[in-house]
Amino acid sequence: MRGTPYPTLGELLRRARATVAARPGVLRLRVVGTSRAGRPLWLLSAGHGPRHILTVAGAHANEPVGGVTSLSLVDRFAREPALLQELGCTWHFLLCLDPDGASLAGRWMTGWSGEGRATGASPTLRGYYRRFYRPAFAAQPEFPPVASDPRPAMPESEALVRLLDELRPVVQFSLHGVEVGGSFLQLTRALPGAAAAYRRIAADLGIPLEHRPFDGMGWLAESPGVLVLPDGSPTEERDPSGFTSQATWLYAMRHGTVSAVVEAPFWSVAGVSDPQPVAEPRREIAEASEILLGRAKQLEAVVGELGPRSPRTPDQIAHFTAARELMDIGPGVVDTWNSAELATTVGNSVSLGVAARRIPLRAAAMMRQGLGGAPALDTLVESWSRELASTFDARWVPVADQTALQIRTMLVLALV
């Protein structure tokens, strides 16, 4: 990967083509749709078994770990075709669900490459956020709008839905990454032994588990780091911006598919797994809320001081739109925190503190790019990145460990 922590979009495809060319009888590559900008959505399939398994990578532009995980597992299948026969499956890998977003977010990897080769250092949060991009909520293809929403579904979403209808997989894996924190697993149905196996894998790799993740706050915490969709739970999800969607994880349930969302941290924080109770949870929530709202207000002031500016290019518009949305969601996020039983453990309180800092940092990072750069925004991104890393002793998780977590989890769940 020439010194970059993850393969870029172009490298993903080149490696996939090379692997297929080396094992044409085992592997196949085809296009299953196109993005809004006309980029192809590539599906790499391995084996010929009767059970179908689908792995979706690159659903979020700032989370490139799924692509390298997918290629690593495909490489193993190419070396060990008997493993596919033992599993009795055809395993499909959607290499990147959001190639348009990945083309913007991938600039972080290109930028780090030179720095990493020159210094031999691990990636830094500062470098990550200087080129950060994550689309606005309504532009994330795993979450198409509900039928009552007048907005049409993205072509990427429609392609994934068609693929689910075609394959009717027994398991759908969605591979994600956590910027700063710990690992967790979401399941749309409880699977015997899954939670224990997942905890064991994370422990083997020294990766902390989120004691009670914020994602899926309406889901049941089966055990630390494992969330299960409760029976009869709503099929709609409402994000802090007010956008309501039906996740493609839930759509797949009509085919009897179990969806498993596997989150691997890029920078780990040991404190997120601390089960000790907190004496005053409401105080913890209040302090986190103050940080979130205070930094959003600070960012608003900096943008205001820049005077009348507006994004000019399509790339700048994408960054600006996503940043503006994050700058506006603070009150809604705080309302959610206050309405839930949060910060009851030290681990949950640490996760809350990370989230309170991450949201405005993401906004500042994208606003900086959306407005073409400004020294005042550079300063915010620099100082907030360093403060996030130092406050929580965030430590880079080697990519080999990130992918091992996801690969071992998938192989275990494929047999359940």
Side-chain angles (χ1 to χ4, degrees):
M1 290 182 286
R2 304 195 323 276
T4 60
Y6 309 96
T8 63
L9 196 58
E11 289 168 339
L12 271 178
L13 181 56
R14 286 193 291 272
R15 285 181 55 185
R17 283 174 167 161
T19 305
V20 170
R23 295 304 301 263
V26 178
L27 307 176
R28 304 165 303 284
L29 188 64
R30 65 181 169 114
V31 174
V32 293
T34 56
S35 71
R36 289 150 291 166
R39 291 183 173 88
L41 304 181
W42 291 98
L43 185 75
L44 179 55
S45 300
H48 303 277
R51 300 167 64 245
H52 290 272
I53 295 174
L54 174 63
T55 292
V56 178
H60 287 144
N62 64 306
E63 301 172 5
V65 62
V68 67
T69 293
S70 296
L71 288 183
S72 297
L73 185 52
V74 169
D75 286 344
R76 181 172 175 184
F77 288 152
R79 296 191 310 270
E80 305 174 39
L83 178 57
L84 282 169
Q85 297 175 1
E86 293 173 12
L87 293 170
C89 72
T90 303
W91 202 313
H92 308 269
F93 299 85
L94 188 55
L95 294 177
C96 184
L97 179 59
D98 184 11
D100 295 350
S103 71
L104 294 180
R107 294 170 181 171
W108 163 62
M109 293 181 282
T110 304
W112 181 81
S113 178
E115 177 186 339
R117 281 201 301 266
T119 66
S122 298
T124 64
L125 280 172
R126 168 184 170 275
Y128 175 75
Y129 281 111
R130 280 184 62 81
R131 297 173 179 85
F132 180 86
Y133 175 68
R134 181 184 176 100
F137 289 110
Q140 297 176 12
E142 253 186 345
F143 298 95
V146 292
S148 59
D149 193 308
R151 285 169 288 195
M154 297 164 58
E156 298 92 331
S157 305
E158 293 177 328
L160 178 53
V161 167
R162 287 196 304 269
L163 192 59
L164 289 167
D165 288 340
E166 173 194 338
L167 300 177
R168 297 172 176 258
V170 291
V171 185
Q172 174 190 207
F173 294 106
S174 182
L175 303 182
H176 288 257
V178 177
E179 287 147 66
V180 180
S183 181
F184 61 95
L185 172 69
Q186 290 179 256
L187 297 169
T188 55
R189 187 173 72 239
L191 297 174
Y198 184 66
R199 291 196 303 272
R200 188 164 54 249
I201 292 167
D204 287 346
L205 295 168
I207 296 176
L209 294 178
E210 293 271 356
H211 193 265
R212 183 24 175 125
F214 295 138
D215 288 43
M217 288 179 63
W219 295 38
L220 298 175
E222 184 177 89
S223 67
V226 180
L227 301 175
V228 177
L229 188 70
D231 293 337
S233 63
T235 58
E236 298 180 356
E237 296 198 11
R238 185 178 178 86
D239 64 51
S241 73
F243 176 67
T244 304
S245 65
Q246 183 193 53
T248 48
W249 319 328
L250 306 183
Y251 176 89
M253 294 174 70
R254 68 189 61 198
H255 300 307
T257 303
V258 178
S259 290
V261 182
V262 190
E263 300 266 5
F266 304 154
W267 285 269
S268 68
V269 174
V272 299
S273 63
D274 192 333
Q276 296 181 78
V278 166
E280 299 182 58
R282 304 307 302 178
R283 180 179 176 180
E284 301 287 333
I285 294 173
E287 290 179 354
S289 300
E290 183 178 354
I291 291 171
L292 171 59
L293 297 178
R295 293 194 177 185
K297 185 177 180 180
Q298 183 180 355
L299 175 57
E300 197 75 65
V302 169
V303 171
E305 291 170 359
L306 295 176
R309 283 192 179 190
S310 59
R312 297 179 180 179
T313 68
D315 288 0
Q316 288 180 340
I317 291 171
H319 283 87
F320 180 87
T321 301
R324 184 70 261 176
E325 182 177 71
L326 290 182
M327 291 170 66
D328 294 337
I329 66 172
V333 172
V334 168
D335 287 345
T336 301
W337 289 349
N338 284 318
S339 64
E341 292 186 9
L342 295 178
T344 57
T345 67
V346 172
N348 193 226
S349 179
V350 169
S351 297
L352 194 66
V354 169
R357 292 165 172 81
R358 183 184 60 222
I359 293 171
L361 176 52
R362 285 179 171 180
M366 290 191 288
M367 186 59 72
R368 169 185 170 274
Q369 297 174 88
L371 296 181
L377 289 172
D378 289 347
T379 298
L380 280 187
V381 174
E382 291 268 347
S383 62
W384 287 353
S385 296
R386 294 183 188 278
E387 191 266 351
L388 177 60
S390 62
T391 299
F392 299 101
D393 191 24
R395 303 196 176 190
W396 173 251
V397 178
V399 175
D401 290 344
Q402 297 175 33
T403 58
L405 174 76
Q406 294 185 330
I407 289 172
R408 290 174 60 181
T409 300
M410 287 193 292
L411 290 175
V412 166
L413 298 188
L415 294 171
V416 174

